[in-house]
Amino acid sequence: FGCNRLFALDSGLQSPEELVGKTDFDMVWEEEALQYRADDRQVMESATPELNYESTKITSEGHQIWVRTIKVPLRDPDGRVKGVLGTYEDITESKCSEEALRSNEERYASVIAATKDGIFDWDLVRGSGYASESWQEIHGLSGTNFLSIDVWKRCVHPDDLARVRQRTKDLLA
C-alpha cells in the first residue's frame, strides 16, 4: 500500500517509499491490524464509503490517539474496486475536551443534587434556564413549566423586580 509524506511521518517513517511492501502487521499499530484490515475489506466488498467514524490509532511513539476516519473504495478504469483510500484527522484534543466537559457536568450535577439551596440559572441570550429540584420545591413549582420567564419573574421579590428588569435589559444590550 502507499501513502503521503504526512502519513509516513505519523507512522514513524521518513518517507512514503519506506512503506512500500509493508502491511499493517509490520507497523506500530500491529495490534489493531486485524480490525483495520476488516474495515478495509468491508469498504471494498460493499463498495460503500465509511465516512467520519471515530476510532483510536497508535502513533509511532506508541501513544494512543483518537482519529476521525474516512475510507472510500478505489476503482480501476473498469469500475471494479481495487483498494481503499483512507484519510484521518487527529481529534484527540477534542475528545479530551469532551471528556473533561462531561466529567465537570457530572460533578456539577452531583453538587447541585447534594445541596438544599435553591439554584436557578437563566440564559438571557438563549431564553432557557435551569432550576434545581430544591429551587422548584422552595417555590412550589415542582412539575410545572418552571423555566418560563414569567414564572421566574413571579419568584423575584416585588421590591427587586424593577432592578432585575433593568439589569436584564442591560445584559441583553
Side-chain angles (χ1 to χ4, degrees):
F1 71 97
C3 70
N4 62 21
R5 181 164 167 69
L6 186 55
F7 183 87
L9 294 173
D10 279 357
S11 302
L13 306 173
Q14 298 302 310
S15 71
E17 291 77 26
E18 290 182 59
L19 195 69
V20 175
K22 294 188 185 319
T23 71
D24 287 319
F25 296 100
D26 301 318
M27 306 304 289
V28 68
W29 55 80
E30 65 182 304
E31 290 182 20
E32 287 90 5
L34 287 174
Q35 182 61 52
Y36 291 166
R37 294 182 73 112
D39 293 345
D40 291 351
R41 192 170 33 260
Q42 170 65 27
V43 171
M44 290 178 69
E45 289 174 0
S46 69
T48 304
E50 290 284 332
L51 304 175
N52 296 317
Y53 68 92
E54 297 177 1
S55 62
T56 58
K57 175 184 181 308
I58 303 299
T59 67
S60 60
E61 293 86 28
H63 299 109
Q64 183 176 343
I65 63 171
W66 279 94
V67 294
R68 181 176 298 122
T69 302
I70 296 172
K71 290 185 177 184
V72 296
L74 286 176
R75 298 177 186 271
D76 67 13
D78 296 323
R80 292 182 299 247
V81 176
K82 292 295 186 179
V84 174
L85 172 66
T87 66
Y88 66 86
E89 171 188 14
D90 184 344
I91 59 169
T92 305
E93 187 174 320
S94 173
K95 282 294 211 180
C96 290
S97 294
E98 288 173 11
E99 175 58 27
L101 179 60
R102 187 192 59 72
S103 177
N104 284 337
E105 287 175 345
E106 287 175 1
R107 186 173 58 210
Y108 173 75
S110 68
V111 168
I112 296 297
T115 185
K116 296 297 180 194
D117 295 333
I119 298 175
F120 186 90
D121 180 47
W122 188 263
D123 184 330
L124 295 171
V125 175
R126 291 188 182 103
S128 62
Y130 168 82
S132 68
E133 288 184 31
S134 296
W135 186 90
Q136 295 174 56
E137 290 172 13
I138 289 167
H139 294 283
L141 295 171
S142 295
T144 65
N145 183 9
F146 57 86
L147 293 180
S148 159
I149 193 69
D150 294 327
V151 170
W152 180 79
K153 285 179 183 178
R154 287 194 315 240
C155 296
V156 175
H157 192 279
D159 294 346
D160 295 329
L161 197 52
R163 183 178 53 81
V164 169
R165 282 188 180 140
Q166 184 59 50
R167 180 69 176 140
T168 301
K169 286 180 186 176
D170 293 347
L171 288 171
L172 288 173

